[in-house]
Amino acid sequence: MDPQLREVGQLFGRFKAALVRNDFDTCSNLLSQLKVLLTKFPSLPPSFQHTTNAVEELTIARDVYEHAVVLSVKTEDQEAFERDFFQLKPYYTDTCGILPPSPQEYPILGLNLLRLLVQNRIAEFHTELELLPPGALENPCIKHAVELEQSFMEGAYNRVLIARRTVPHETYVYFMDLLAKTVRDEIAGCSEKAYDFLSINDAKKILMFSSDQELFEYINQERPEWEIKDGSVIFQRAKESQPCKEIPSLQLINQTLSYARELERIV
């Protein structure tokens, strides 16, 4: 075996072992070393030189970047996820005639769609979706992300929260938890505008918490302006703390009359 390939293989083995035992500091150090070593492979993007070791080099590089994406999810580092995903993407789009498909391709592509949804980057979500082959939409990981986006856009927040229980891949849990928080914050904002108060049971049902304790923890951490009193969650204080915006009614009337006079002159 080529000495450089052997060195990368040995280092990558240590990286995978550290990832299994959740030794993330060791993983990060080894990943940095691996990325430097990979730059010495001439067959990798963007050059894609046809060398005798091209298949082996591309295969191990793809594997390294797939594990880098998984590491970024485990360390909850969205910036690292985006950086590693875009380093990985050419191995999915530009090596179709060289490498067999990776079993991790659709789980990672679906994970990226979920990240874009969590970050409310809907235009990019649809762009990435359109770049996928037609058959990809039948894959459970891609289908999961598409259905989530549809539920989110329709305001069917209960379906979004329920989907947390049926993730197609274990790596999806991190982004699903972030999405669930976004949804709950949206529901909470609507609730405090629609009601002066709700019973604890009703508030728990609306926010889809399974216990009073979960509701109380959420209020304590995210909505300290809410008040729990006499078996109810009181929103009035939240409303009072919001600045009141005055509508300049007289100015609007004068502007409207002015527009009407100008329109009469034109006609």
Side-chain angles (χ1 to χ4, degrees), residues 85-219:
F85 175 79
F86 281 111
Q87 288 178 299
L88 170 63
K89 195 175 179 183
Y91 295 89
Y92 293 155
T93 58
D94 302 332
T95 64
C96 298
I98 306 172
L99 300 180
S102 167
Q104 297 304 315
E105 180 173 351
Y106 282 127
I108 287 178
L109 290 175
L111 195 59
N112 182 57
L113 289 173
L114 189 56
R115 174 186 67 90
L116 293 174
L117 184 58
V118 166
Q119 295 176 353
N120 201 30
R121 294 159 66 175
I122 305 302
E124 292 174 66
F125 178 97
H126 285 285
T127 299
E128 290 293 321
L129 200 60
E130 289 171 4
L131 294 173
L132 297 176
L137 297 177
E138 299 303 317
N139 183 275
C141 294
I142 306 300
K143 191 175 181 180
H144 177 79
V146 171
E147 290 176 349
L148 273 175
E149 191 268 344
Q150 291 173 347
S151 298
F152 197 74
M153 293 299 103
E154 292 169 6
Y157 297 142
N158 60 323
R159 294 208 304 263
V160 176
L161 294 177
I162 290 170
R164 164 65 173 77
R165 307 169 194 165
T166 57
V167 290
H169 198 272
E170 61 180 6
T171 54
Y172 283 45
V173 172
Y174 166 60
F175 285 120
M176 285 302 300
D177 285 344
L178 291 179
L179 190 59
K181 182 183 182 304
T182 300
V183 165
R184 282 202 172 95
D185 288 345
E186 189 72 19
I187 296 172
C190 293
S191 296
E192 67 183 14
K193 289 179 175 65
Y195 306 103
D196 289 333
F197 65 91
L198 283 172
S199 69
I200 287 175
N201 283 337
D202 287 341
K204 187 170 63 176
K205 287 177 184 176
I206 286 176
L207 293 168
M208 296 192 69
F209 286 117
S210 57
S211 68
D212 292 357
Q213 186 60 34
E214 289 179 353
L215 173 64
F216 297 158
E217 288 176 1
Y218 175 80
I219 293 172

Side-chain angles (χ1 to χ4, degrees), residues 222-234:
E222 305 295 335
R223 301 284 167 169
E225 69 276 12
W226 292 2
E227 185 179 0
I228 300 171
K229 185 178 180 182
D230 299 330
S232 296
V233 179
I234 301 172

